[in-house]
Amino acid sequence: MKILVTGGAGFIGSHIVDGYIAAGYKVAVIDNLSSGKKENINPKAKFYKLDINSKEIEKIFFKEKFDLVNHHAAQIDVRKSVQDPMFDAEVNIVGALNIFESSRKSKVKKVIFASSGGTIYGECGRKTPDEKADANPLSPYGIAKYSIEFYLKYFLKTYGLNYTILRYGNVYGPRQDPHGEAGVVAIFSGRMLNNEKTVIFGNGNQMRDYVYVGDVARANIFALKKGNNEIINIGTGKASSVNELFKKIAFITDFRKKPVYKPARAGELYKSVLDIKKAKKILKWEPSVSLKSGLEKTVKYFENWK
């Protein structure tokens, strides 16, 4: 099987590429390196430095004749989508359509799409949302991800292009950018290791479902042959607060300073957590890395990364 991973130089995409290559598949990567890093790319993968909106995409699809496309390339910053929804839509919606159009024209059999359980369900109340829960995205980023899911249903019905949609919780782990705006675990790890002041926006009681990137990569391997035309949550089913996260990382890094609290930011959810029963049933997948272990692995990476 020949697989294309868009965004394969990025945080999550590069781990998926590693997993596919370790499993014996031929892999190509398309990435414009706007946020991804060339050093993240597995040397056994074929690399095309290209934007997903490029007209050259279709030529590569016909040249390589991919069997499956794993679409992870995206504008990933929720707050940036709030500031510039037009840019978010151009990358996330129009870029995805360019990939899907090239897929159906070149007879790709299936697309795996990285969606966002962390934003599509909106505020999560007492009941943890499963895949049948009402969608209520509160940011342009979440709206774009949800829109793309409907486009995939259209491509299935009209052209027979199969898909698996994976709705992620808050993914963390090695290779996440500690200097970016997205990824609180990476940001906390980087700042604490440098003994710099660490900011918490809001009161720190915001709850998130933190899932380790290695577990997410495994889910993408299982999705190669399972979960056709399904939407599946990928998380842990457990919520942790930002304050808890701060304490855990501070303990691992021996960080002694107190957090600096600043006003909450526009578009940010208070609680997000996912029901993962469907992933266990259909993909035969469940997370294997605890938050404690995942944070230790992440901090160790950033210690060496410095």
Side-chain angles (χ1 to χ4, degrees), residues 145-262:
K145 289 287 189 180
Y146 194 45
S147 299
I148 296 164
E149 293 185 3
F150 280 93
Y151 276 113
L152 280 170
K153 292 175 184 178
Y154 160 78
F155 275 88
L156 169 67
K157 185 175 181 180
T158 308
Y159 303 110
L161 178 62
N162 293 304
Y163 63 80
T164 299
I165 294 166
L166 301 179
R167 289 179 174 172
Y168 297 156
N170 279 59
V171 187
Y172 73 96
R175 301 180 193 162
Q176 197 165 26
D177 185 0
H179 304 302
E181 287 297 316
V184 66
V185 172
I187 293 167
F188 279 4
S189 298
R191 297 193 72 81
M192 289 183 190
L193 286 168
N194 289 320
N195 200 33
E196 298 171 345
K197 81 173 182 181
T198 305
V199 175
I200 292 177
F201 293 94
N203 62 13
N205 293 325
Q206 304 96 310
M207 306 288 285
R208 296 289 183 272
D209 189 335
Y210 296 102
V211 58
Y212 186 66
V213 69
D215 282 331
V216 171
R218 277 196 309 112
N220 278 270
I221 293 171
F222 293 174
L224 291 174
K225 297 180 179 178
K226 296 175 183 174
N228 272 14
N229 308 318
E230 297 281 357
I231 297 171
I232 303 172
N233 288 340
I234 301 296
T236 65
K238 301 173 184 176
S240 302
S241 73
V242 176
N243 285 328
E244 287 177 63
L245 203 67
F246 179 93
K247 289 175 183 175
K248 288 179 187 294
I249 300 173
F251 179 79
I252 296 167
T253 59
D254 197 28
F255 183 73
R256 304 295 176 89
K257 295 178 180 178
K258 291 184 178 180
V260 176
Y261 289 91
K262 290 190 176 182

Side-chain angles (χ1 to χ4, degrees), residues 2-4 61-62 64-70 99-112 159-162:
K2 186 184 277 191
I3 304 170
L4 169 67
F61 272 74
F62 278 98
E64 295 286 354
K65 295 181 170 53
F66 302 115
D67 298 297
L68 184 141
V69 171
N70 185 302
I99 295 297
F100 302 160
E101 275 286 284
S102 297
S103 295
R104 65 100 176 165
K105 288 178 182 177
S106 63
K107 310 299 182 187
V108 167
K109 298 178 182 69
K110 179 176 176 178
V111 171
I112 296 172
Y159 303 110
L161 178 62
N162 293 304

